[in-house]
Amino acid sequence: EAGVTQSPTHLIKTRGQQATLRCSPISGHTSVYWYQQALGLGLQFLLWYDEGEERNRGNFPPRFSGRQFPNYSSELNVNALELEDSALYLCASSLAGRYNQPQHFGDGTRLSIL
Amino acid sequence: AQTVTQSQPEMSVQEAETVTLSCTYDTSESDYYLFWYKQPPSRQMILVIRQEAYKQQNATENRFSVNFQKAAKSFSLKISDSQLGDAAMYFCALILNTDKLIFGTGTRLQVFP
């Protein structure tokens, strides 16, 4: 069974640009979660999608947005990039509506802002 | 607000010995789950063990076990017979029925031969 896949592995952008990160969940999982892991700050919850809809959102500005496609894959978009957006972005998936089920993580996308 | 606190930024243990990683949390909810995740240098977060809040019995997975003290809101991880492959960042996490996973800041575990 294929795990959660994320692309690209590494993304380099400059301030003010826009970044798009992609995630494919485990087959059968309909919930997708995005987390930001900045150096020294642990993981911060960004977004949760389920069945194509945004279900919950962390304390991030509106320039962080995303969507979930009919095949349950997801995109995270970050507009007007700032230096502090440099971080590892992790995607996770789980079975729908089952918050007690563990979330399975991808390898992450390392976003570097120059 | 819900919080998860890991007060040990770094820990070390000798191979074959036992180490305990601490975690405390705060929530007003009565229904939640607790997890320990491991993140090796390869970056991928791997589930180590989970605990249902309504269960008093401590969860165990092979060499990994937890000491869950609900009243004290404490959830420590014990690793027995430590192996070199156990070296990683360990994150304690709390999940509520909103599906929001709240992580601690992590404990870096080093294992010495």
Side-chain angles (χ1 to χ4, degrees), chain A residues 9 33 35 37 41-43 45 48 56 88 90 99-103 105-110, chain B residues 31-33 35 37 39 42-45 47 50 91 95-101 103-105:
Chain A
T9 303
Y33 311 80
Y35 296 89
Q37 186 176 20
L41 293 180
L43 276 81
F45 168 72
W48 166 37
N56 205 347
L88 180 67
L90 290 169
Y99 79 100
N100 58 328
Q101 294 298 316
Q103 295 180 15
F105 286 79
D107 289 343
T109 293
R110 171 80 59 193
Chain B
D31 190 13
Y32 53 88
Y33 282 73
F35 298 88
Y37 280 91
Q39 188 178 39
S42 64
R43 312 193 312 201
Q44 187 175 40
M45 297 280 282
L47 177 68
R50 67 173 174 174
F91 292 94
I95 188 165
L96 309 173
N97 59 8
T98 57
D99 272 273
K100 181 177 174 180
L101 198 61
F103 283 84
T105 51

Side-chain angles (χ1 to χ4, degrees), chain A residues 27-83:
Chain A
S27 177
H29 288 187
T30 62
S31 280
V32 171
Y33 311 80
W34 288 96
Y35 296 89
Q36 182 193 66
Q37 186 176 20
L39 200 59
L41 293 180
L43 276 81
Q44 304 294 318
F45 168 72
L46 262 166
L47 291 159
W48 166 37
Y49 291 96
D50 184 60
E51 296 288 352
E53 293 192 15
E54 182 180 303
R55 301 292 187 183
N56 205 347
R57 182 182 180 86
N59 295 325
F60 282 84
R63 56 191 187 82
F64 285 84
S65 65
R67 55 180 172 166
Q68 187 178 33
F69 299 97
N71 66 354
Y72 304 114
S73 66
S74 176
E75 272 184 3
L76 174 68
N77 295 294
V78 188
N79 294 319
L81 286 165
E82 299 178 3
L83 293 176

Side-chain angles (χ1 to χ4, degrees), chain A residues 7-19:
Chain A
S7 62
T9 303
H10 200 163
L11 190 56
I12 300 173
K13 294 285 185 177
T14 57
R15 286 180 61 188
Q17 285 188 314
Q18 185 251 355

Side-chain angles (χ1 to χ4, degrees), chain B residues 15-60:
Chain B
E15 211 175 354
E17 296 295 310
T18 295
V19 64
T20 299
L21 308 184
S22 301
C23 173
T24 59
Y25 61 94
D26 190 24
T27 179
S28 57
E29 302 290 333
S30 59
D31 190 13
Y32 53 88
Y33 282 73
L34 293 159
F35 298 88
W36 277 98
Y37 280 91
K38 166 186 176 180
Q39 188 178 39
S42 64
R43 312 193 312 201
Q44 187 175 40
M45 297 280 282
I46 302 164
L47 177 68
V48 174
I49 198 166
R50 67 173 174 174
Q51 173 79 42
E52 295 92 330
Y54 62 86
K55 283 189 178 179
Q56 293 190 345
Q57 185 174 7
N58 290 325
T60 299

Side-chain angles (χ1 to χ4, degrees), chain B residues 51-107:
Chain B
Q51 173 79 42
E52 295 92 330
Y54 62 86
K55 283 189 178 179
Q56 293 190 345
Q57 185 174 7
N58 290 325
T60 299
E61 286 288 340
N62 302 313
R63 298 183 295 108
F64 299 88
S65 62
V66 299
N67 183 4
F68 176 47
Q69 303 289 327
K70 191 171 183 178
K73 294 184 178 175
S74 171
F75 182 60
S76 60
L77 174 69
K78 185 171 85 170
I79 306 174
S80 304
D81 186 25
S82 297
Q83 300 175 359
L84 294 176
D86 295 334
M89 280 291 285
Y90 285 81
F91 292 94
C92 176
L94 165 70
I95 188 165
L96 309 173
N97 59 8
T98 57
D99 272 273
K100 181 177 174 180
L101 198 61
I102 304 155
F103 283 84
T105 51
T107 296

